[in-house]
Amino acid sequence: MYEFAVNVDSILVILLLVVWSAAGLLAGGLPTRRRARLLLVLIGVGTVVTVARGIGTGLLWSNGWVFVADRVLVALPLLAVPMVAMFALAVPALRRIAGRRRATNGTAETAETARTERTPETAGAPPAPFPVSVRVSVRTTAAAALLGAFMEYLSRPLPPYGADMAIYAGVLLVAAAASRGRNPRPRRAGTRRAVAVTALVATAITGAGVYGMRTSLLPDRMSMMGHGDVDYGGGPGGSHHGSRASGVPAVKAVNAADLTGPRTGTGTPDRVFTLTAQETSIRLGSGAVLDAWTYNGQVPGPALTVREGDLVQVTLVNRLPREGVTIHWHGLDVPNAEDGVAGVTQDAVQPGESHVYRFRADQVGTFWYHTHQRPLVGVRRGLFGSLVVLPPEGTAGEDITVMAHNWERPDGLVAAFGTSDTLDRRPVRPGTPVRLRVVNTDRNAWSDVESRNLVLLGTRFRVAAIDGVDLDGPSELDGVRLSVAEGGRYDLTFVMPDRPVLLADLANPRAGLLLSPGSDGPATAPSIPSDAPLFDPATYGTPAPAPFTRFDRDFTVIIDDRIGFHDGTLHFLPTVNGRGFPHTPVHMVRQGEVVRMTFVNRSHQVHPMHLHGHHALVLSRNGRPTTGSPWWIDTLAVQPGETYEIGFRADNPGVWMDHCHDLGHAADGMVTHLAYEGVSTPYEIGHGTPNQPE
């Protein structure tokens, strides 16, 4: 319903702009019967479209007040006020003009014909225009429709709306004043005036474009602590710059670079790995050969498997010729300095350099690692791999990790599991316990409004874990569609039957992982249903009491999109609270506090929101509390029209990225930060630094 309402609303905005603009142009001409009648028709059509938009706004209202607040408080009133004046003043005058006739030699003539019969005294006077009441009300309505379109596509205002309302009302007053201008000019003078106005408008648009391009350029150097918008979520208003509000106790200053894991010499690592970033040619299952960036010459990179409690040491070596690189441990809540984000927790590792990460693996589950230096390019070209933390006592059966990814083949984009863009067959003995660890590294290959959709066919199974956290009381499922957020993970468990089992990505049904019951068993893939029901983690499993019921900080993240400039180029931009990075808010917390964060997606696309360093409990969706197993996430796909509340404890000090894991959206500025009061980072980002974290 939300998608339908938003799409219809967008169409109605364009129709309003076209209809009222045409009416505004007509209102500036000579008051002929034909023009008066056409104006009445346009007013009728515009009224119908405006009422239809009001109905669409009502549909959006069902998703929550924030979805319609700017329309109800800004856009619709600004349109309604001149429309009321138009019906009170302009419509009666237009009806009189439209019905005006006079008999001359037995024929009916228009007012315009009568005006051409001039006396010597009036022959030099210019023709009279439409009355002021018509010109002002119609043209002001046209200006209000233009402002509505501007707000819809360029400048979605947010609470408290006062400044936006004042600016827009001022524009309407200027439009009203301008509409009281001189009478229509002769055709030649009118043409010259139209050319001049067109040139002025073109110059203004060009100037605005140049201004937007230049002012949107990211600084050559800036600190992640340089945001001007710090949101304290209703908590104490201290400062990460060292000052503090009156009555707020001081917080000890901490350098994020000091928030490390156990350093060399403080313990012998249990697991030691070396990952070397390098350029490598890879071959997909279809035979296509691609130039990739890899860890240790393979994609996915080496599967890192450790035990709970292990001290892990990973040395990153960069042998890429021109590109910096890092390693971010996606979903593993490591100390801040080990998080691997260029410009936030470290400098990017340059060609020929190395960097050592050390952390203790305290969480059992499925995770993955990838570069966080230009990840839109690096991850898509292959700089990723799996990280699995097993319980200390070990596991039995088949443990298979599948990394869903998209590759740019010569014939276009293709979805694959690892490098297999065709059917990958593996034998598994019937009766064997199987755990499929599914990792989604990339966006849905074919849709902006859906996450990656997978199906597991040929057996009943359980969703045992999401984002590395086990679910309570998972029940058996069969034939459902699994929507996995970009960056998210699902663990699927089952006992291998005596028939084939297929894991397929609906974006590429010709590919998939086919498990056959032994080398001699049948290996025909099950057919893929076209209408599989969607798995809902909000209602799945056995519920348990929430670990927290009160909140010290409360943040609202409004996800939207608009046309605008980012770093010098024009995009259809995703925004956070009406802005893009670096003007997005920093969410400031203190260690030990319980935080609630509300995501509201009123955009046209799905946004997988990823909070570094923390796992959060999903509290509600669209105002309804979750009723299944406690659902802990680090990456949450918020669909268009959805509202989610999540809660977490601020128990991992640092400066943490909080961004959309559609890496294209993040590169276009959909980035915020979670910062602990008193913690600052010494690193910088920008074109003049080696660090581009998105």
Side-chain angles (χ1 to χ4, degrees):
M1 179 62 74
Y2 173 82
E3 269 188 75
F4 173 78
V6 168
N7 291 333
V8 170
D9 185 73
S10 298
I11 295 171
L12 294 178
V13 168
I14 296 172
L15 285 176
L16 283 174
L17 178 60
V18 171
V19 171
W20 291 124
S21 296
L25 291 173
L26 277 176
L30 294 174
T32 67
R33 286 182 61 221
R34 179 178 297 177
R35 285 190 178 126
R37 287 180 173 180
L38 185 54
L39 263 175
L40 287 171
V41 170
L42 289 174
I43 289 171
V45 173
T47 301
V48 170
V49 176
T50 302
V51 171
R53 192 173 189 224
I55 295 173
T57 298
L59 292 176
L60 289 173
W61 190 295
S62 63
N63 285 63
W65 164 250
V66 72
F67 288 90
V68 296
D70 52 1
R71 294 170 173 84
V72 173
L73 293 179
V74 181
L76 291 182
L78 288 175
L79 185 58
V81 170
M83 281 188 67
V84 170
M86 183 175 58
F87 274 96
L89 303 173
V91 170
L94 289 171
R95 293 182 66 181
R96 287 194 299 270
I97 296 171
R100 184 183 301 165
R101 292 173 179 269
R102 62 176 265 179
T104 304
N105 297 326
T107 62
E109 295 182 338
T110 65
E112 182 180 23
T113 304
R115 290 170 186 268
T116 61
E117 297 178 1
R118 307 295 181 89
T119 65
E121 290 78 11
T122 62
F130 276 109
V132 170
S133 60
V134 174
R135 298 201 311 271
V136 170
S137 60
V138 173
R139 287 188 161 182
T140 307
T141 302
L146 175 63
L147 288 175
F150 173 80
M151 186 183 68
E152 184 77 11
Y153 294 108
L154 298 173
S155 177
R156 300 291 284 275
L158 293 169
Y161 301 108
D164 301 294
M165 183 68 98
I167 292 172
Y168 295 162
V171 172
L172 293 189
L173 289 175
V174 171
S179 299
R180 296 174 57 89
R182 296 180 179 178
N183 296 343
R185 296 171 179 262
R187 178 171 296 182
R188 185 172 299 175
T191 300
R192 289 197 298 267
R193 186 180 183 184
V195 171
V197 170
T198 301
L200 181 62
V201 170
T203 301
I205 293 175
T206 302
V210 172
Y211 175 80
M213 180 180 66
R214 293 183 63 84
T215 56
S216 71
L217 291 171
L218 297 179
D220 283 342
R221 309 185 74 91
M222 68 168 288
S223 169
M224 282 296 181
M225 310 311 297
H227 293 253
D229 183 7
V230 179
D231 185 353
Y232 293 96
S239 173
H240 53 287
H241 294 293
S243 63
R244 61 186 187 276
S246 176
V248 177
V251 175
K252 180 181 178 181
V254 177
N255 190 324
D258 297 329
L259 297 173
T260 66
R263 291 292 83 193
T264 303
T266 60
T268 302
D270 301 289
R271 300 287 289 164
V272 178
F273 304 96
T274 298
L275 297 177
T276 301
Q278 60 194 74
E279 289 185 337
T280 309
S281 291
I282 62 170
R283 184 181 296 274
L284 303 183
S286 60
V289 177
L290 307 176
D291 292 330
W293 295 347
T294 68
Y295 292 115
N296 292 13
Q298 65 186 75
V299 176
L304 307 185
T305 302
V306 302
R307 298 283 182 185
E308 182 183 15
D310 281 353
L311 178 57
V312 181
Q313 177 175 303
V314 181
T315 301
L316 170 62
V317 179
N318 187 5
R319 291 183 182 165
L320 293 172
R322 293 173 297 278
E323 191 73 23
V325 69
T326 69
I327 299 178
H328 166 58
W329 313 100
H330 188 117
L332 197 64
D333 300 337
V334 298
N336 193 223
E338 312 297 337
D339 196 43
V341 181
V344 181
T345 66
Q346 67 172 92
D347 285 324
V349 180
Q350 296 303 300
E353 297 180 349
S354 63
H355 183 88
V356 177
Y357 300 91
R358 284 170 64 96
F359 54 86
R360 197 165 294 281
D362 291 329
Q363 302 159 256
V364 173
T366 304
F367 310 99
W368 64 300
Y369 62 89
H370 62 82
T371 185
H372 227 299
Q373 162 73 3
R374 289 216 305 149
L376 176 60
V377 178
V379 174
R380 288 188 172 176
R381 293 195 65 175
L383 287 173
F384 64 87
S386 66
L387 170 63
V388 174
V389 181
L390 299 174
E393 65 276 10
T395 58
E398 287 281 345
D399 197 314
I400 303 171
T401 300
V402 179
M403 305 198 75
H405 194 66
N406 300 327
W407 295 103
E408 188 69 43
R409 295 189 314 197
D411 58 346
L413 193 68
V414 63
F417 290 157
T419 56
S420 181
D421 57 350
T422 56
L423 197 62
D424 181 16
R425 301 173 184 267
R426 300 189 193 183
V428 177
R429 187 181 301 277
T432 303
V434 178
R435 190 180 194 100
L436 287 181
R437 303 177 185 268
V438 180
V439 182
N440 181 16
T441 69
D442 210 341
R443 67 183 301 174
N444 188 322
W446 308 113
S447 175
D448 289 331
V449 297
E450 287 187 324
S451 299
R452 187 180 294 272
N453 287 291
L454 307 175
V455 290
L456 183 64
L457 305 169
T459 183
R460 298 182 67 83
F461 65 94
R462 290 178 170 86
V463 177
I466 296 177
D467 283 4
V469 180
D470 285 347
L471 300 181
D472 293 342
S475 58
E476 285 194 332
L477 302 166
D478 189 14
V480 298
R481 176 165 51 97
L482 304 168
S483 181
V484 186
E486 181 180 344
R489 289 89 60 211
Y490 273 26
D491 286 21
L492 313 178
T493 59
F494 58 92
V495 175
M496 184 66 192
D498 58 358
R499 58 185 179 275
V501 174
L502 174 67
L503 178 68
D505 185 339
L506 296 183
N508 182 14
R510 293 186 300 274
L513 173 64
L514 182 65
L515 305 179
S516 60
S519 57
D520 299 328
T524 302
S527 59
I528 299 175
S530 58
D531 57 350
L534 181 65
F535 167 71
D536 185 4
T539 60
Y540 179 72
T542 303
F548 33 72
T549 56
R550 65 167 189 85
F551 302 95
D552 303 295
R553 309 269 177 165
D554 212 328
F555 302 106
T556 298
V557 177
I558 299 178
I559 303 166
D560 213 332
D561 44 34
R562 61 179 176 84
I563 298 172
F565 288 93
H566 178 72
D567 203 17
T569 57
L570 188 65
H571 296 280
F572 189 65
L573 295 176
T575 62
V576 174
N577 292 4
R579 297 181 175 184
F581 181 83
H583 306 294
T584 51
V586 173
H587 299 117
M588 189 66 66
V589 300
R590 288 189 170 192
Q591 187 170 359
E593 291 181 329
V594 180
V595 181
R596 178 167 55 191
M597 191 171 287
T598 302
F599 293 105
V600 180
N601 186 356
R602 64 182 203 177
S603 76
H604 299 76
Q605 302 177 79
V606 61
H607 294 287
M609 303 306 294
H610 173 48
L611 173 61
H612 287 215
H614 304 76
H615 270 72
L617 179 66
V618 179
L619 303 171
S620 71
R621 181 181 61 202
N622 299 333
R624 297 182 177 180
T626 54
T627 58
S629 166
W631 175 19
W632 293 87
I633 53 89
D634 57 68
T635 311
L636 180 64
V638 188
Q639 303 289 334
E642 286 188 332
T643 298
Y644 277 96
E645 289 180 322
I646 64 172
F648 62 92
R649 189 174 297 279
D651 56 5
N652 197 1
V655 179
W656 300 98
M657 294 284 282
D658 187 1
H659 63 106
C660 179
H661 215 275
D662 184 317
L663 298 175
H665 295 171
D668 283 340
M670 200 167 195
V671 176
T672 66
H673 292 85
L674 178 78
Y676 283 65
E677 192 173 340
V679 180
S680 61
T681 175
Y683 305 107
E684 293 182 312
I685 65 168
H687 300 303
T689 75
N691 302 317
Q692 284 83 43
E694 299 296 351

